[in-house]
Structure formats: structure tokens, C-alpha cells
Amino acid sequence: MKKINLSYLKSLSLNLSSLKSIQLPFNLQRREKIAVTAAGVALAIFLVFQLALFPIIDRRDRLHKRIQTQTAAMAEMQALKAEYEALTRFSRDMQQQLKKRPETFTLFSFMDRLAGQSGLKQNIAYMKPSNSNLKNSPYSLSMVEIKMNALTMLQLTTFLHGIEDPSKMVWVKRLSISKDDKQEGLINSVVQVETLQQ
């Protein structure tokens, strides 16, 4: 059995007795008590704000911003969906119109026939056909550029009206008009016409 060191115990008892002799300032004046209480309340309020209220407000703000971002993304998705549906409908309508068109239809022959019906064959300086394949599509883009000289404005508008036939799916891509140098009151025109071809 170990022997207890008596000198160690005596020094320990002296240390404890010296701790008892330390006096804490509990006898505060009224002003000091108010100041200490106010400081304690201020510290408590600060801790409540810092540890409870500010994190809740920050979290609420983050959630609000996230909701705004998600709402904007949703609105953009709705707009894209509407645009996609409109394009799909347009594409479906276009395919149906193209199926109704005769299989032997070519843009060049259509323009040539229209010029004949409009009485403009003698005004044609040239007709240039061209074709380009469309990427990822079963269709190709057919184009005819036609230059006509010495026209009246009425002849040109009648010709353009004949081109824009919805059943044929033909449209004017570009049109340029200039004065005819040889005959006053007449015009020259270059018309680019396009259609989809199977």
C-alpha cells in the first residue's frame, strides 16, 4: 500500500484556503449593476441575432434567390416549349402541303409557266436555277433567280402575287427593283424565289 505524502497534502490545503480568501466584486453599485445587466442583455441579443436570426434570414434570402432563378428558368423552358411546338406544327403543315403538290413539280417549270401566264416571257433577261441539300433533312432547297427588264409596276406585282401561292409552297426570298434606263416609267427587277423539294 502506498504511503500518502503529508507534506503534499499540507501544501494542497494551503492552496485551497488561499482560494477562499479571494473576493469577487458582488457588492456592485446600482449604476454598475445596470451597466452589467445592459451589457448582458446586449450580449444575449447579439448572440440570438448572430446564432439564430441572421442564419434564418440568410437562408430565407438564398431560398428566395433560388426560387427566382428557378422561376426564370421555368419561364424560359415554357417559352422554348411553345416555340418548339409552333415549329413542329409549321413543319407538319409544310410537309402536308408538300405532299399535296404534284411529284413532277419543279420550281423552274413553275416560274417559267407563271411568266408565260403573266405575259412576261419577252421581258426575261435570264432565269438561273440552283439546288442545295439541307443538312439532316429529306428535303433540298430549290432556288430560281429571274431577271426581268422593262416592266410596269402592275406587271411585277401581278407576277409576285402569282408566286406567293400557298398550295405550291413557294416564297420570294429577295427582290430588287431599279429604273429602266432605256424606257421611262418602266422598271427592271431581280427576284429570287425558293421552295422545298423532295
Side-chain angles (χ1 to χ4, degrees), residues 23 139 160 178 181 197:
Q23 289 186 1
Y139 302 103
L160 292 174
S178 59
D181 295 336
Q197 204 83 38

Side-chain angles (χ1 to χ4, degrees), residues 78-134:
Q78 291 290 343
L80 287 171
K81 180 186 172 195
E83 188 179 337
Y84 173 77
E85 286 173 351
L87 286 170
T88 305
R89 275 194 306 274
F90 177 73
S91 175
R92 194 170 46 245
D93 293 346
M94 201 172 233
Q95 284 175 348
Q96 288 173 352
Q97 287 291 341
L98 288 171
K99 283 178 184 173
K100 289 178 186 175
R101 207 165 60 180
E103 286 183 25
T104 56
F105 177 88
T106 63
L107 185 59
F108 186 84
S109 62
F110 171 72
M111 294 297 293
D112 188 52
R113 188 169 57 254
L114 185 62
Q117 288 169 355
S118 304
L120 298 176
K121 277 219 175 187
Q122 72 280 359
N123 300 86
I124 295 175
Y126 65 77
M127 279 178 74
K128 292 181 189 172
S130 66
N131 230 359
S132 59
N133 291 326
L134 295 174

Side-chain angles (χ1 to χ4, degrees), residues 173-185:
K173 183 189 177 190
R174 210 173 100 212
L175 171 68
S176 66
I177 301 170
S178 59
K179 286 182 182 179
D180 188 70
D181 295 336
K182 296 173 186 173
Q183 299 180 54
E184 196 174 321

Side-chain angles (χ1 to χ4, degrees), residues 54 57 66 77 94 154 167 170:
F54 287 153
I57 291 170
R66 197 166 158 195
M77 283 172 65
M94 201 172 233
L154 180 63
S167 66
V170 177

